[in-house]
Amino acid sequence: MKCLVVILVCAVLAEGLVRIPLVKHKSMREALREKGIELPYQDPGLKYQPDEFAGSATMYINNYADTTYYGAISIGTPPQSFQVLFDTGSANLWVDSVYCNTQACNTHKKFNPQQSSTYSASGQSFYLPYGAGSLSGVFGYDTIDVGGIVITNQEIGLSTNEPGRTFVVAKFDGILGLSYPSISAGGETPVMDNIISQNLLNANMFAFYLSRGGQQGSELSFGGVDNSKYQGEITWTPVTSETYWQIGVDGFQINGRETGWCSQGCQSIVDTGTSMLTAPGQLLGYIMQAIGAQQSQYGMYMVDCNQIYNLPTLSFVISGVSFPLPPSAYIIQHYQYGYQFCSVGITPTYLPSRDGQPLWIFGDVFLREYYSIYDRTYNRVGFAIAA
């Protein structure tokens, strides 16, 4: 009977699903590297600084140089279509607009509010610092369509200035944040919160499936769980801070041996807007030593591609369940100028979590291995082995 109840719940959750295909592109870093430009490393943890909280119209976009999965939304009446990064590590929606005429804006699709009968201006401006430059814009309101979910009177950031070369090669036109409203720049209402208040879903949750090995088939779904995207059981763990999708980590293991690094507790932010697995800076040296990686002149940690399957399995213990990452998950294979080289998809952050515990960031390296579910009703995150 218990099994029947579980099956029925999954069937109900899957029935009202809204699916948005995500397409994998080259990251900004990869595109610039092909042009002979090496982007400097930025601490991913800077994205989670307190300055971003409501009341400040500032959003951090430091580490979007490595993101690769984007999907389509439309804005306005009649609809104008855009490719955006769906980001669980930020709260605001912004896109390029006709108010911006820099090279970075001109290489992307730009929203024209004058061509939308449902647009209204707000008069508030925002500022997004990143790397060596910044992106500026203004807020407005319009109708948006996310996979057939039509949200009215949604706050939107429209870029007015995008200096620098970084965004020239970006394959996305904007970012749609999916974190909690408490971190929304300018106090704007996030898309998910408008979806909830307008009662547009069967269940107030969304989920990510990120395909492995460069394959297509990645998907963001709203309104429930897609049981074709995972195998086994879902492990649920509570959100520890209703800011980002932050959870507790009970342990970290190397080849099944507990390190004790999280014996006093660790925190992790589950972030689809971060491509790598990010480790506490004070632990990175130990991890790289266990892997046998050597640091390159550009700060990347490299391994011998022929030795990948001899490297250790790294595991996180969450709510009493072990989540292993085999070397095939955390080693990234690159091909350039006819050569193959292999880097470790783990980067450091030197910032602790807000409660002072060591901070990890579960980016795409982790999320390709595990289907992830974000439940706003019960403020919890679910993980299951990706299909």
Side-chain angles (χ1 to χ4, degrees):
M1 183 65 187
K2 182 180 178 182
C3 292
L4 178 62
V5 170
V6 171
I7 291 168
L8 287 173
V9 167
C10 287
V12 169
L13 288 177
E15 185 181 351
L17 274 182
V18 175
R19 295 179 172 87
I20 299 164
L22 302 177
V23 179
K24 194 172 192 294
H25 295 275
K26 282 182 182 175
S27 70
M28 288 187 277
R29 190 181 303 279
E30 290 170 324
L32 288 169
R33 185 176 287 142
E34 289 179 357
K35 298 175 182 291
I37 300 167
E38 194 67 35
L39 277 180
Y41 171 76
Q42 300 239 314
D43 188 330
L46 290 172
K47 182 179 179 182
Y48 315 117
Q49 285 300 280
D51 294 343
E52 187 181 349
F53 275 64
S56 165
T58 301
M59 297 179 271
Y60 283 89
I61 53 175
N62 299 68
N63 59 335
Y64 295 118
D66 295 293
T67 56
T68 54
Y69 297 92
Y70 315 120
I73 66 167
S74 65
I75 303 173
T77 309
Q80 302 172 43
S81 183
F82 302 91
Q83 289 290 317
V84 298
L85 166 68
F86 291 93
D87 179 21
T88 59
S90 67
N92 294 80
L93 167 62
W94 70 267
V95 293
D96 291 313
S97 82
V98 294
Y99 298 141
C100 178
N101 285 305
T102 65
Q103 185 185 4
C105 285
N106 291 339
T107 56
H108 295 101
K109 182 79 179 289
K110 298 196 285 188
F111 178 65
N112 187 343
Q114 294 179 333
Q115 293 180 359
S116 173
S117 62
T118 45
Y119 177 81
S120 61
S122 81
Q124 185 181 10
S125 60
F126 66 87
Y127 169 73
L128 292 78
Y130 70 91
S134 60
L135 183 151
S136 303
V138 294
F139 285 117
Y141 301 86
D142 211 334
T143 298
I144 73 167
D145 186 322
V146 181
I149 306 169
V150 178
I151 305 125
T152 57
N153 206 36
Q154 174 62 49
E155 293 92 340
I156 306 160
L158 306 179
S159 67
T160 57
N161 185 37
E162 274 182 46
R165 61 193 175 188
T166 307
F167 279 95
V168 172
V169 297
K171 299 297 183 184
F172 59 89
D173 307 310
I175 294 172
L176 191 155
L178 289 165
S179 65
Y180 283 85
S182 59
I183 62 160
S184 174
E188 303 296 318
T189 304
V191 170
M192 188 63 187
D193 288 83
N194 275 329
I195 288 175
I196 292 169
S197 66
Q198 294 175 29
N199 199 27
L200 301 177
L201 297 175
N202 285 356
N204 292 326
M205 60 173 64
F206 56 91
F208 279 86
Y209 172 79
L210 301 182
S211 60
R212 301 180 181 94
Q215 299 175 343
Q216 300 305 332
S218 300
E219 185 179 273
L220 162 63
S221 58
F222 286 90
V225 173
D226 185 344
N227 50 11
S228 71
K229 298 299 186 187
Y230 70 93
Q231 50 189 309
E233 294 186 1
I234 298 169
T235 298
W236 293 100
T237 191
V239 169
T240 56
S241 173
E242 291 177 24
T243 49
Y244 304 93
W245 289 94
Q246 182 175 313
I247 61 172
V249 175
D250 308 323
F252 179 74
Q253 303 168 346
I254 299 176
N255 269 347
R257 294 187 63 178
E258 179 55 54
T259 61
W261 295 342
C262 293
S263 59
Q264 302 299 312
C266 288
Q267 296 290 302
S268 181
I269 292 171
V270 188
D271 187 357
T272 58
T274 295
S275 60
M276 304 295 181
L277 174 69
T278 299
Q282 69 270 27
L283 304 179
L284 189 75
Y286 298 109
I287 296 171
M288 294 305 167
Q289 185 177 13
I291 293 171
Q294 302 294 319
Q295 194 168 18
S296 75
Q297 62 177 323
Y298 297 116
M300 298 171 68
Y301 283 90
M302 314 301 295
V303 296
D304 182 344
C305 294
N306 295 321
Q307 296 297 317
I308 291 176
Y309 295 102
N310 296 325
L311 300 180
T313 294
L314 310 177
S315 302
F316 293 92
V317 179
I318 302 165
S319 291
V321 177
S322 179
F323 291 86
L325 290 179
S328 59
Y330 66 78
I331 298 298
I332 301 170
Q333 300 184 50
H334 309 263
Y335 298 91
Q336 189 175 357
Y337 307 127
Y339 292 97
Q340 180 191 32
F341 60 98
C342 292
S343 65
V344 183
I346 304 174
T347 54
T349 180
Y350 294 94
L351 297 164
S353 63
R354 295 187 183 280
D355 60 5
Q357 290 184 341
L359 177 66
W360 301 78
I361 303 170
F362 290 171
D364 296 346
V365 164
F366 184 91
L367 298 173
R368 278 190 286 266
E369 295 297 303
Y370 296 99
Y371 180 69
S372 57
I373 309 144
Y374 308 78
D375 186 343
R376 281 291 300 272
T377 299
Y378 296 103
N379 295 312
R380 58 182 182 168
V381 178
F383 295 118
I385 299 169

